[in-house]
Short mmCIF file of all heavy atoms in Angstrom, two decimals:
data_model
loop_
_atom_site.label_atom_id
_atom_site.label_comp_id
_atom_site.label_asym_id
_atom_site.label_seq_id
_atom_site.Cartn_x
_atom_site.Cartn_y
_atom_site.Cartn_z
N THR A 56 -1.93 -77.85 -249.83
CA THR A 56 -0.63 -77.35 -249.40
C THR A 56 0.45 -78.42 -249.40
O THR A 56 1.62 -78.10 -249.23
CB THR A 56 -0.71 -76.77 -247.98
OG1 THR A 56 -0.88 -77.84 -247.04
CG2 THR A 56 -1.86 -75.78 -247.84
N HIS A 57 0.05 -79.69 -249.57
CA HIS A 57 1.00 -80.81 -249.55
C HIS A 57 1.73 -80.90 -248.22
O HIS A 57 2.88 -81.35 -248.16
CB HIS A 57 2.00 -80.70 -250.71
CG HIS A 57 1.34 -80.59 -252.05
ND1 HIS A 57 0.64 -81.61 -252.63
CD2 HIS A 57 1.24 -79.53 -252.90
CE1 HIS A 57 0.15 -81.21 -253.79
NE2 HIS A 57 0.49 -79.96 -253.97
N LEU A 58 1.08 -80.46 -247.15
CA LEU A 58 1.64 -80.63 -245.82
C LEU A 58 1.84 -82.12 -245.56
O LEU A 58 1.01 -82.94 -245.94
CB LEU A 58 0.68 -80.03 -244.78
CG LEU A 58 1.23 -79.72 -243.39
CD1 LEU A 58 2.36 -78.70 -243.46
CD2 LEU A 58 0.11 -79.19 -242.49
N ALA A 59 2.96 -82.47 -244.92
CA ALA A 59 3.31 -83.88 -244.73
C ALA A 59 2.21 -84.63 -243.99
O ALA A 59 1.56 -84.11 -243.08
CB ALA A 59 4.61 -83.98 -243.96
N LEU A 60 2.03 -85.88 -244.39
CA LEU A 60 1.07 -86.74 -243.71
C LEU A 60 1.55 -87.05 -242.29
O LEU A 60 2.74 -87.29 -242.08
CB LEU A 60 0.91 -88.05 -244.48
CG LEU A 60 0.22 -87.96 -245.85
CD1 LEU A 60 0.47 -89.24 -246.64
CD2 LEU A 60 -1.26 -87.69 -245.69
N PRO A 61 0.65 -87.06 -241.33
CA PRO A 61 1.07 -87.41 -239.96
C PRO A 61 1.52 -88.87 -239.88
O PRO A 61 1.04 -89.72 -240.63
CB PRO A 61 -0.19 -87.17 -239.12
CG PRO A 61 -1.32 -87.24 -240.09
CD PRO A 61 -0.78 -86.73 -241.40
N HIS A 62 2.45 -89.12 -238.98
CA HIS A 62 3.02 -90.47 -238.83
C HIS A 62 3.20 -90.77 -237.35
O HIS A 62 2.82 -89.97 -236.48
CB HIS A 62 4.35 -90.57 -239.58
CG HIS A 62 5.32 -89.48 -239.20
ND1 HIS A 62 6.04 -89.51 -238.02
CD2 HIS A 62 5.68 -88.33 -239.83
CE1 HIS A 62 6.80 -88.44 -237.94
NE2 HIS A 62 6.61 -87.70 -239.02
N LEU A 63 3.75 -91.93 -237.06
CA LEU A 63 3.88 -92.41 -235.69
C LEU A 63 5.28 -92.25 -235.12
O LEU A 63 5.55 -92.72 -234.01
CB LEU A 63 3.48 -93.89 -235.62
CG LEU A 63 2.03 -94.21 -235.98
CD1 LEU A 63 1.85 -95.71 -236.19
CD2 LEU A 63 1.08 -93.69 -234.91
N ARG A 64 6.16 -91.54 -235.83
CA ARG A 64 7.57 -91.54 -235.44
C ARG A 64 7.95 -90.48 -234.42
O ARG A 64 9.08 -90.50 -233.92
CB ARG A 64 8.44 -91.42 -236.69
CG ARG A 64 8.32 -92.60 -237.63
CD ARG A 64 9.36 -92.55 -238.73
NE ARG A 64 9.24 -91.40 -239.60
CZ ARG A 64 8.41 -91.32 -240.64
NH1 ARG A 64 7.59 -92.33 -240.91
NH2 ARG A 64 8.38 -90.24 -241.39
N ASN A 65 7.08 -89.53 -234.12
CA ASN A 65 7.37 -88.60 -233.03
C ASN A 65 6.06 -88.26 -232.32
O ASN A 65 4.97 -88.40 -232.89
CB ASN A 65 8.09 -87.34 -233.53
CG ASN A 65 7.23 -86.47 -234.43
OD1 ASN A 65 6.14 -86.04 -234.03
ND2 ASN A 65 7.70 -86.19 -235.64
N PRO A 66 6.13 -87.84 -231.07
CA PRO A 66 4.92 -87.66 -230.27
C PRO A 66 3.90 -86.69 -230.86
O PRO A 66 2.69 -86.96 -230.83
CB PRO A 66 5.46 -87.14 -228.94
CG PRO A 66 6.85 -87.69 -228.86
CD PRO A 66 7.37 -87.64 -230.27
N GLU A 67 4.34 -85.57 -231.40
CA GLU A 67 3.41 -84.57 -231.93
C GLU A 67 2.65 -85.13 -233.13
O GLU A 67 1.41 -85.01 -233.22
CB GLU A 67 4.17 -83.30 -232.32
CG GLU A 67 3.26 -82.19 -232.84
CD GLU A 67 4.04 -80.93 -233.19
OE1 GLU A 67 5.27 -80.91 -232.98
OE2 GLU A 67 3.40 -79.97 -233.66
N SER A 68 3.38 -85.73 -234.05
CA SER A 68 2.73 -86.29 -235.24
C SER A 68 1.89 -87.50 -234.87
O SER A 68 0.82 -87.72 -235.44
CB SER A 68 3.79 -86.68 -236.27
OG SER A 68 3.19 -87.08 -237.48
N ARG A 69 2.34 -88.29 -233.91
CA ARG A 69 1.58 -89.46 -233.47
C ARG A 69 0.22 -89.03 -232.92
O ARG A 69 -0.80 -89.66 -233.21
CB ARG A 69 2.35 -90.23 -232.40
CG ARG A 69 1.56 -91.38 -231.78
CD ARG A 69 2.31 -92.00 -230.61
NE ARG A 69 3.45 -92.77 -231.10
CZ ARG A 69 3.40 -94.06 -231.41
NH1 ARG A 69 2.26 -94.73 -231.29
NH2 ARG A 69 4.47 -94.67 -231.84
N ALA A 70 0.20 -87.96 -232.13
CA ALA A 70 -1.06 -87.49 -231.56
C ALA A 70 -2.04 -87.10 -232.66
O ALA A 70 -3.24 -87.39 -232.57
CB ALA A 70 -0.80 -86.30 -230.63
N LEU A 71 -1.55 -86.47 -233.71
CA LEU A 71 -2.40 -86.07 -234.82
C LEU A 71 -2.91 -87.30 -235.58
O LEU A 71 -4.10 -87.39 -235.91
CB LEU A 71 -1.63 -85.15 -235.77
CG LEU A 71 -2.38 -84.66 -237.01
CD1 LEU A 71 -3.65 -83.92 -236.63
CD2 LEU A 71 -1.46 -83.77 -237.86
N PHE A 72 -2.01 -88.26 -235.84
CA PHE A 72 -2.42 -89.46 -236.55
C PHE A 72 -3.46 -90.24 -235.74
O PHE A 72 -4.46 -90.73 -236.29
CB PHE A 72 -1.21 -90.35 -236.84
CG PHE A 72 -1.56 -91.60 -237.59
CD1 PHE A 72 -1.76 -91.57 -238.96
CD2 PHE A 72 -1.71 -92.81 -236.93
CE1 PHE A 72 -2.11 -92.73 -239.66
CE2 PHE A 72 -2.05 -93.96 -237.61
CZ PHE A 72 -2.26 -93.91 -238.98
N GLU A 73 -3.22 -90.36 -234.45
CA GLU A 73 -4.16 -91.12 -233.61
C GLU A 73 -5.52 -90.44 -233.55
O GLU A 73 -6.54 -91.12 -233.46
CB GLU A 73 -3.56 -91.31 -232.22
CG GLU A 73 -2.38 -92.27 -232.23
CD GLU A 73 -1.74 -92.45 -230.87
OE1 GLU A 73 -2.00 -91.61 -229.97
OE2 GLU A 73 -0.96 -93.41 -230.70
N ARG A 74 -5.55 -89.11 -233.60
CA ARG A 74 -6.84 -88.43 -233.63
C ARG A 74 -7.53 -88.66 -234.97
O ARG A 74 -8.75 -88.82 -235.03
CB ARG A 74 -6.65 -86.93 -233.39
CG ARG A 74 -7.96 -86.12 -233.45
CD ARG A 74 -8.95 -86.60 -232.40
NE ARG A 74 -8.53 -86.24 -231.06
CZ ARG A 74 -9.09 -86.71 -229.95
NH1 ARG A 74 -10.09 -87.60 -230.04
NH2 ARG A 74 -8.67 -86.34 -228.76
N LEU A 75 -6.76 -88.70 -236.05
CA LEU A 75 -7.32 -88.92 -237.38
C LEU A 75 -8.07 -90.24 -237.44
O LEU A 75 -9.12 -90.33 -238.10
CB LEU A 75 -6.18 -88.91 -238.41
CG LEU A 75 -6.53 -89.22 -239.87
CD1 LEU A 75 -7.42 -88.13 -240.46
CD2 LEU A 75 -5.24 -89.37 -240.70
N ILE A 76 -7.57 -91.27 -236.77
CA ILE A 76 -8.21 -92.59 -236.84
C ILE A 76 -8.91 -92.96 -235.53
O ILE A 76 -9.15 -94.14 -235.26
CB ILE A 76 -7.17 -93.68 -237.21
CG1 ILE A 76 -6.08 -93.77 -236.15
CG2 ILE A 76 -6.59 -93.42 -238.59
CD1 ILE A 76 -5.19 -94.99 -236.30
N ASP A 77 -9.25 -91.96 -234.74
CA ASP A 77 -9.89 -92.19 -233.45
C ASP A 77 -11.36 -92.56 -233.65
O ASP A 77 -12.16 -91.75 -234.13
CB ASP A 77 -9.77 -90.93 -232.59
CG ASP A 77 -10.24 -91.14 -231.16
OD1 ASP A 77 -10.83 -92.21 -230.88
OD2 ASP A 77 -10.01 -90.24 -230.33
N ARG A 78 -11.73 -93.76 -233.27
CA ARG A 78 -13.10 -94.21 -233.45
C ARG A 78 -14.08 -93.43 -232.58
O ARG A 78 -15.28 -93.39 -232.88
CB ARG A 78 -13.20 -95.71 -233.17
CG ARG A 78 -12.37 -96.55 -234.13
CD ARG A 78 -12.60 -98.03 -233.94
NE ARG A 78 -11.75 -98.80 -234.86
CZ ARG A 78 -11.85 -100.11 -235.06
NH1 ARG A 78 -12.77 -100.80 -234.41
NH2 ARG A 78 -11.06 -100.71 -235.91
N SER A 79 -13.56 -92.82 -231.52
CA SER A 79 -14.44 -92.02 -230.67
C SER A 79 -15.05 -90.85 -231.45
O SER A 79 -16.16 -90.41 -231.14
CB SER A 79 -13.67 -91.49 -229.45
OG SER A 79 -13.22 -92.55 -228.64
N ASN A 80 -14.32 -90.34 -232.44
CA ASN A 80 -14.87 -89.28 -233.28
C ASN A 80 -16.17 -89.74 -233.93
O ASN A 80 -17.16 -89.02 -233.98
CB ASN A 80 -13.88 -88.89 -234.38
CG ASN A 80 -12.58 -88.32 -233.85
OD1 ASN A 80 -12.53 -87.70 -232.80
ND2 ASN A 80 -11.50 -88.55 -234.58
N ILE A 81 -16.12 -90.96 -234.45
CA ILE A 81 -17.27 -91.52 -235.17
C ILE A 81 -18.38 -91.89 -234.21
O ILE A 81 -19.57 -91.65 -234.48
CB ILE A 81 -16.83 -92.74 -235.99
CG1 ILE A 81 -15.59 -92.41 -236.84
CG2 ILE A 81 -17.98 -93.25 -236.85
CD1 ILE A 81 -15.76 -91.20 -237.75
N GLU A 82 -18.01 -92.45 -233.07
CA GLU A 82 -19.01 -92.85 -232.09
C GLU A 82 -19.80 -91.65 -231.58
O GLU A 82 -21.01 -91.73 -231.34
CB GLU A 82 -18.32 -93.56 -230.92
CG GLU A 82 -17.73 -94.92 -231.31
CD GLU A 82 -16.80 -95.48 -230.26
OE1 GLU A 82 -16.60 -94.80 -229.22
OE2 GLU A 82 -16.26 -96.59 -230.47
N ARG A 83 -19.13 -90.51 -231.43
CA ARG A 83 -19.81 -89.30 -230.96
C ARG A 83 -20.81 -88.80 -232.00
O ARG A 83 -21.90 -88.33 -231.65
CB ARG A 83 -18.78 -88.22 -230.62
CG ARG A 83 -18.00 -88.51 -229.34
CD ARG A 83 -16.84 -87.55 -229.19
NE ARG A 83 -17.29 -86.18 -228.95
CZ ARG A 83 -17.54 -85.66 -227.76
NH1 ARG A 83 -17.42 -86.41 -226.67
NH2 ARG A 83 -17.91 -84.41 -227.63
N ILE A 84 -20.43 -88.89 -233.27
CA ILE A 84 -21.35 -88.47 -234.33
C ILE A 84 -22.57 -89.39 -234.35
O ILE A 84 -23.72 -88.94 -234.44
CB ILE A 84 -20.64 -88.47 -235.69
CG1 ILE A 84 -19.57 -87.38 -235.73
CG2 ILE A 84 -21.66 -88.26 -236.84
CD1 ILE A 84 -18.70 -87.41 -236.97
#
Side-chain angles (χ1 to χ4, degrees):
T56 70
H57 305 291
L58 198 61
L60 291 165
H62 53 77
L63 296 167
R64 296 190 298 277
N65 67 57
E67 182 178 358
S68 187
R69 174 187 288 270
L71 179 58
F72 181 80
E73 290 178 344
R74 178 60 71 190
L75 176 66
I76 62 168
D77 188 350
R78 298 186 181 189
S79 297
N80 298 329
I81 309 305
E82 292 167 359
R83 287 170 68 88
I84 293 173

